[in-house]
């Protein structure tokens, strides 16, 4: 078998050091962003300008750089957005906190009852000859790791939101100096979030494993089973963040667009529109806080799935620490790789023109993937024995270290392919979106038909990419291979999140420019940043969905092993009914979330109309709208409406497991995975394409686009309607579905011991 080249002590130093470097780099980027001042005090005296190196101010005098009113206005708008986002998240976290405590108690009771709350040692699940720690211990430690995962997830989302609201106005002010400066500010802020999240997730998991080891000692099987709670905590919080934030942002967005653009013919983000602050707050709580929690959940679960399978393979049986922590070492190297990649965007190459924005973001993906491939090769060589065995449904399978390298690499490259396909279908630089824009000539109906067709078509290549990576990784290293393939896809999470968070920050920057009454040229620059941001957000969602498919399959494999099911046979009625019900769940879930957005948007439209009709001087710009009421409508709707979809996802595995048993539950998991992935990809890409088709017409950058415009034309109005329909698809239902797939799988895994002993009540009668 042979031992790993890297000694255990090396591993124990490498992982925390990489995490700390990640956190340090994030703080450094934040420091650079904070140098853009949001107060007008600094150029009070005319001589100070040249001395402090601010001479570039004088060059663009016509842009109103020294216009203090603009800076003060930007600061005011920024603080309004920040306050709205903070108060919403605190309200949401209050409710989520209650749920977290209740669910933690449930985990403890269910898992503790497996052995009737006995404190005596028991034979191990996979090796009856050894004695393992009591089930009560697993119950307690699973509960602790669930709470840890939940809190880390909430903190990740909250920090992301704070950074985004800190950076949005700064990006607007930098846009006065040129598109390159604005790009760097927005991108750096995204990097702060990406690195904080990747490093925190890794560090908390690493510390938890080491603390649990004090109790578990040599019982690694029990230790890593208890750690799975971490993934469950991360994803269950992400679900509420994604659904709640998604309903909030889209209710405001749809309301603002329908009344403002279509009925009143005023531009997007016009300060006269009462829903405009709520719309900008929504970008931060939905796209940033929700996305952060979501990707953290994926990361935590793929790590947990890999660790669970490894603990019953030769790594765990022979107590090889370095090989056991291979998933964490891959993530550690990922942080360093992303750090180098980020420098390419911010320091090595400068962006000078609008058309360079999207290629720069695409380069980020390519560079990080190429560097990471080398990183994985080195890690697989130093951290793994040359050959080892992996647990594969009851038998141990011989695996070589180069095979495991291929498993991780295939996941990594599948992620890149999914990213590029998503970009092709959602960027207005390519024909699919241009065709959708062209179809607006004949009205909204053809636009909707073209958009739906585009979404369905965009599913084909990503599914093949996922299928190939599953086949390759499973052939080489069974379920462990699939878990590390998912980790491979998420290994460049810091870069992925940076380009993803960049989108909403640019979107907000554009909104602030419009509200502060800045010149048309500045709005053009922020619009260009925002259009690229739409595409990167779609790429981020593609990554999240692709990794969710692999993660949930790996968790499914771990669940099947843990629940001691030998084979999942589709021909048995128990499993087949599960498959059907599981495939239906994503539709039920999407129906709930779409309806929630619809009913909240209805209230918002009525409120915006009421203000336009009853506040004298609002359209003329002499009176201020009542922003607070719109913010309240969004907040109340999202808090109320996030509970039913959340309950559906959290309760399904419990009800099926308890009443129908583990075979039916395995059918439900497989069904929801297969149908959920398809709907999620098509919903995200349809929405993204409609949004960019509208932007394509608005920008009027090509001859074709100008023939469809300008803003306010019938063509443009048809595009706005398409964009509005796509909003809940791309920002509420689509991205929440990948959490549904993962969450049900990880929850089933955590409760597997309980279902295996006490489940299937109806079939026992």
């Amino acid at each position: 078998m042979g031992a790993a080249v890297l000694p255990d002590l090396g591993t124990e130093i490498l992982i925390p050091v990489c995490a700390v470097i990640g956190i340090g780099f994030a703080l450094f980027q934040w420091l650079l962003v904070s140098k853009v001042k949001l107060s007008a005090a600094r150029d009070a005296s005319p001589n100070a300008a040249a001395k402090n190196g601010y001479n570039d101010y004088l060059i663009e005098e016509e842009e109103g750089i020294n216009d203090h009113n603009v800076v003060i206005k930007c600061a005011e708008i920024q603080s309004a957005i920040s306050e709205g986002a903070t108060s919403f998240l605190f309200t949401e976290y209050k409710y989520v906190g209650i749920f977290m405590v209740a669910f933690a108690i449930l985990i403890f009771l269910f898992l503790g009852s497996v052995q009737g709350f006995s404190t005596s040692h028991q034979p191990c699940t996979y090796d009856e000859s050894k004695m393992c720690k009591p089930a009560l211990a697993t119950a307690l430690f699973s509960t602790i790791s669930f709470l840890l995962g939940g809190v880390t997830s909430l903190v990740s989302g909250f920090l992301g939101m704070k950074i985004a609201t800190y950076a949005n106005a700064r990006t607007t002010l930098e846009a006065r100096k040129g598109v390159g400066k604005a790009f760097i500010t927005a991108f750096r802020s995204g990097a702060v979030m990406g690195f904080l999240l990747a490093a925190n997730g890794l560090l908390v998991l690493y510390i938890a494993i080491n603390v649990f080891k004090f109790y578990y000692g040599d019982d690694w099987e029990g230790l890593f089973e208890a750690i799975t709670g971490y993934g469950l905590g991360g994803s269950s919080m992400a679900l509420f963040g994604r659904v709640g934030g998604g309903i909030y942002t889209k209710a405001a967005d749809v309301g603002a667009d329908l009344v403002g653009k279509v009925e009143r013919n005023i531009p997007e983000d016009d300060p006269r529109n009462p829903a405009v602050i709520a719309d900008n707050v929504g970008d931060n709580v939905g796209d940033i806080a929700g996305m952060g929690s979501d990707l953290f959940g994926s990361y935590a679960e793929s790590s947990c799935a890999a660790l669970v399978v490894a603990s019953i393979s030769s790594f765990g049986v022979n107590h090889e620490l370095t090989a056991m922590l291979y998933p964490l070492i891959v993530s550690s190297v990922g942080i360093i790789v992303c750090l180098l990649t980020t420098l390419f965007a911010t320091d090595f190459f400068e962006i000078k023109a609008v058309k360079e924005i999207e290629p720069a973001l695409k380069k980020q993906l390519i560079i990080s993937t190429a560097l990471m491939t080398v990183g994985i090769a080195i890690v697989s060589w130093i951290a793994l024995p040359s050959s080892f065995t992996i647990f594969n449904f009851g038998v141990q399978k011989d695996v070589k270290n180069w095979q495991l390298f291929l498993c991780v690499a295939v996941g990594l490259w599948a992620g890149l392919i999914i990213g590029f396909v998503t970009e092709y279908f959602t960027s207005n630089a390519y024909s699919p979106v241009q065709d959708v824009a062209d179809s607006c000539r004949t009205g909204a109906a053809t636009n909707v038909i073209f958009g739906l067709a585009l979404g369905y078509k965009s599913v084909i290549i990503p599914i093949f990419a996922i299928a190939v990576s599953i086949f390759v990784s499973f052939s080489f290293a069974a379920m462990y291979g699939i878990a590390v393939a998912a980790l491979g896809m998420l290994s460049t999470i810091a870069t992925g999140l940076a380009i993803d968070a960049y989108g909403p920050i640019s979107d907000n920057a554009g909104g602030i420019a419009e509200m502060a009454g800045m010149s048309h040229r500045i709005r053009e620059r922020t619009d260009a940043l925002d259009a690229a941001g739409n595409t990167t957000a779609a790429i981020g969602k593609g990554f999240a969905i692709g990794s969710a498919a692999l993660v949930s399959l790996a968790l499914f494999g771990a669940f099947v092993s843990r629940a001691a099911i030998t084979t999942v046979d589709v021909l048995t009625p128990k499993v087949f009914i599960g498959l059907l019900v599981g495939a239906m769940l994503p539709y039920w879930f999407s129906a709930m979330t779409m309806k929630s957005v619809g009913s909240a948007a209805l209230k918002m439209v009525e409120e915006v109309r009421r203000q336009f009709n009853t506040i004298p001087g609002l359209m003329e710009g002499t009176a201020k709208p009542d922003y607070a009421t719109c913010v309240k409508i969004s907040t109340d709707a999202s808090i109320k409406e996030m509970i039913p979809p959340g309950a559906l996802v959290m309760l399904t595995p419990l009800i099926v497991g308890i009443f129908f048993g583990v075979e039916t539950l395995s059918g439900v998991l497989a069904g929801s995975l297969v149908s959920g992935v398809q709907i999620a990809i098509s919903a995200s890409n349809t929405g993204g394409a409609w949004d960019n088709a509208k932007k394509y017409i608005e920008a009027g950058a090509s001859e074709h686009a100008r023939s469809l415009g300008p803003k306010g034309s019938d063509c443009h109005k048809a595009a706005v309607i398409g964009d509005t329909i796509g909003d809940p698809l791309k920002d509420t239902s689509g991205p929440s579905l990948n959490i549904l797939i993962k969450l049900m799988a990880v929850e089933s895994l955590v409760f597997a011991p309980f279902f295996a002993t006490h489940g299937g009540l109806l079939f026992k009668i």
Side-chain angles (χ1 to χ4, degrees):
M1 299 289 277
V5 179
L6 183 69
D8 288 356
L9 180 67
T11 308
E12 285 168 1
I13 295 170
L14 176 73
I15 296 172
V17 163
C18 288
V20 170
I21 289 174
I23 293 169
F25 184 70
L27 295 175
F28 173 65
Q29 294 291 334
W30 177 72
L31 192 74
L32 292 174
V33 172
S34 67
K35 287 198 171 140
V36 182
K37 291 286 180 279
L38 262 187
S39 61
R42 64 163 177 218
D43 18 68
S45 68
N47 305 340
K51 262 187 239 153
N52 297 340
Y54 285 126
N55 3 21
D56 57 349
Y57 278 85
L58 308 172
I59 305 166
E60 296 214 0
E61 198 65 42
E62 85 279 6
E63 290 290 1
I65 282 228
N66 292 333
D67 186 351
H68 298 338
N69 297 344
V70 167
V71 181
I72 292 162
K73 233 177 185 174
C74 283
E76 276 170 15
I77 299 161
Q78 183 218 21
S79 71
I81 294 172
S82 184
E83 278 164 32
T86 309
S87 79
F88 167 73
L89 284 184
F90 275 131
T91 314
E92 180 185 62
Y93 290 172
K94 253 194 311 215
Y95 289 91
V96 170
I98 298 165
F99 158 79
M100 196 154 87
V101 174
F103 204 76
I105 295 166
L106 195 70
I107 293 176
F108 181 70
L109 294 177
F110 274 30
L111 293 181
S113 68
V114 172
Q115 300 287 334
F117 294 99
S118 86
T119 49
S120 56
H121 285 221
Q122 62 191 35
C124 297
T125 317
Y126 300 100
D127 183 0
E128 306 264 320
S129 61
K130 289 185 185 155
M131 295 303 279
C132 281
K133 297 283 191 254
L136 193 62
T138 304
L140 178 65
F141 283 104
S142 291
T143 310
I144 294 170
S145 56
F146 167 75
L147 292 170
L148 262 181
V151 170
T152 313
S153 183
L154 295 182
V155 169
S156 301
F158 187 75
L159 285 177
M161 179 281 298
K162 272 292 182 209
I163 290 149
T165 51
Y166 181 80
N168 50 17
R170 287 173 166 78
T171 305
T172 311
L173 293 176
E174 286 292 276
R176 298 178 305 178
K177 301 183 199 168
V179 78
K181 291 268 198 293
F183 170 80
I184 287 179
T185 303
F187 188 81
R188 280 206 165 118
S189 322
V192 177
M193 176 185 178
F195 282 95
L196 271 184
L197 191 134
N200 280 346
L202 178 66
L203 199 58
V204 174
L205 181 58
Y206 178 72
I207 292 170
I209 291 172
N210 281 314
V211 171
F212 286 14
K213 222 190 263 163
F214 284 121
Y215 172 78
Y216 279 100
D218 280 351
D219 176 14
W220 283 16
E221 183 191 300
L223 164 68
F224 289 105
E225 191 174 301
I227 285 286
T228 49
Y230 185 68
L232 176 61
S235 259
S236 48
M237 299 305 111
L239 177 73
F240 291 108
R242 251 307 186 200
V243 175
I247 293 168
Y248 184 106
T249 172
K250 291 305 118 179
D253 199 355
V254 172
D257 280 1
L258 283 181
V259 184
K261 287 192 200 163
V262 179
E263 292 178 10
R264 294 279 167 168
N265 249 343
I266 58 176
E268 186 163 4
D269 297 316
D270 191 295
R272 292 170 291 180
N273 194 329
V276 69
I277 292 282
D279 182 6
N280 280 305
V281 169
D283 289 334
N284 294 299
V285 295
D287 295 350
I288 298 251
M291 187 69 183
S293 292
D294 177 5
L295 277 172
F296 164 74
S298 277
Y299 165 73
E301 280 159 346
S302 54
S303 304
C304 292
L307 291 169
V308 168
V309 182
S311 69
I312 49 178
S313 304
S314 65
F315 302 155
V317 177
N318 306 334
H319 295 96
E320 298 167 4
L321 182 73
T322 300
M324 184 68 218
L325 295 181
Y326 176 72
L328 298 186
I329 300 172
V330 169
S331 307
S332 310
V333 172
I335 291 177
I336 305 299
V337 164
C338 292
L339 193 152
L340 293 173
T341 311
T342 305
L343 297 177
F344 277 94
T346 54
D347 298 81
F348 299 158
F349 300 113
E350 200 182 336
I351 287 189
K352 300 210 169 51
V354 166
K355 62 176 185 297
E356 293 171 18
I357 300 171
E358 237 173 84
L361 292 166
K362 259 167 58 180
K363 269 189 212 133
Q364 284 288 298
L365 285 178
I366 299 169
I367 295 167
S368 62
T369 305
L371 289 177
M372 194 62 208
T373 310
V374 179
I376 296 165
I378 297 168
V379 167
S380 305
W381 175 60
I382 62 167
L384 294 171
S386 54
S387 73
F388 42 90
T389 64
I390 294 289
F391 184 85
N392 179 22
F393 301 123
V395 294
Q396 294 282 359
K397 177 184 170 79
D398 285 313
V399 183
K400 301 270 187 293
N401 57 3
W402 60 266
Q403 291 175 311
L404 210 50
F405 157 69
L406 286 176
C407 293
V408 187
V410 82
L412 178 68
W413 285 91
L416 184 69
I417 291 168
I418 293 172
F420 275 177
V421 170
T422 310
E423 194 232 6
Y424 174 70
F425 278 105
T426 56
S427 164
N428 53 25
Y430 303 104
S431 60
V433 171
Q434 292 174 7
D435 290 347
V436 171
D438 193 62
S439 70
C440 296
R441 288 175 194 279
T442 46
T446 41
N447 180 24
V448 170
I449 295 167
F450 268 72
L452 287 172
L454 176 144
Y456 297 146
K457 194 176 169 188
S458 71
V459 175
I460 303 167
I461 299 174
I463 291 296
F464 277 123
I466 293 170
V468 168
S469 50
I470 287 171
F471 184 77
V472 171
S473 50
F474 190 86
S475 313
F476 282 145
M479 278 300 172
Y480 186 69
I482 292 173
V484 292
L487 259 178
M489 203 178 273
L490 291 166
S491 58
T492 52
I493 184 173
T495 295
L497 262 169
I499 63 172
D500 195 52
Y502 154 86
I505 292 170
S506 310
D507 192 353
N508 259 212
I512 292 172
E514 183 74 50
M515 283 187 270
M518 287 180 155
S519 74
H520 178 61
R521 276 175 57 187
I522 292 176
R523 181 70 222 216
E524 271 177 7
R525 287 171 192 165
T526 55
D527 272 354
L529 290 172
D530 183 18
N534 264 336
T535 304
T536 58
I539 293 174
K541 285 167 195 150
F543 262 94
I545 295 162
S547 62
L550 293 174
V551 169
S552 57
L553 186 59
L555 291 164
F556 176 66
F559 161 73
V560 169
S561 302
R562 184 63 191 85
I565 308 170
T566 42
T567 51
V568 179
D569 184 359
V570 184
L571 295 175
T572 52
K574 273 187 197 176
V575 177
F576 195 78
I577 57 168
L579 267 178
L580 281 176
V581 171
M584 172 274 296
L585 286 172
Y587 289 92
W588 189 358
F589 180 83
S590 298
M592 283 177 162
T593 48
M594 296 285 284
K595 182 91 188 298
S596 302
V597 172
S599 55
L602 201 67
K603 289 190 194 119
M604 188 67 79
V605 167
E606 282 165 0
E607 171 59 25
V608 175
R609 277 183 186 150
R610 182 194 68 75
Q611 291 198 26
F612 273 126
N613 294 333
T614 57
I615 299 176
L618 182 56
M619 268 307 277
E620 292 72 40
T622 51
K624 279 187 88 169
D626 173 11
Y627 297 128
T629 311
C630 291
V631 171
K632 189 173 171 359
I633 289 175
S634 261
T635 304
D636 294 351
S638 56
I639 298 293
K640 191 172 105 241
E641 302 280 1
M642 76 180 179
I643 295 164
L648 173 73
V649 179
M650 298 301 288
L651 295 177
T652 302
L654 292 178
I655 293 167
V656 175
I658 293 168
F659 293 111
F660 298 94
V662 283
E663 278 99 341
T664 310
L665 181 54
S666 62
V668 169
L669 294 179
S672 66
L673 166 62
V674 168
S675 87
V677 172
Q678 331 275 343
I679 304 175
I681 295 175
S682 67
S684 290
N685 291 350
T686 295
W690 274 327
D691 194 345
N692 272 346
K694 173 202 73 177
K695 289 231 164 44
Y696 175 73
I697 294 174
E698 286 176 352
S702 68
E703 198 52 52
H704 175 237
R706 282 192 287 277
S707 71
L708 300 170
K711 285 186 185 180
S713 66
D714 286 347
C715 225
H716 178 243
K717 282 186 177 172
V720 170
I721 291 171
D723 173 35
T724 314
I725 300 169
D727 274 338
L729 283 172
K730 80 174 185 336
D731 288 326
T732 315
S733 297
S736 308
L737 278 172
N738 60 57
I739 305 180
L740 167 135
I741 308 166
K742 297 179 307 199
L743 188 51
M744 283 176 38
V746 74
E747 191 183 339
S748 306
L749 173 61
V750 170
F751 286 109
F754 176 79
F755 297 150
T757 22
H758 302 302
L761 295 180
L762 290 182
F763 296 132
K764 286 178 181 169
I765 297 167

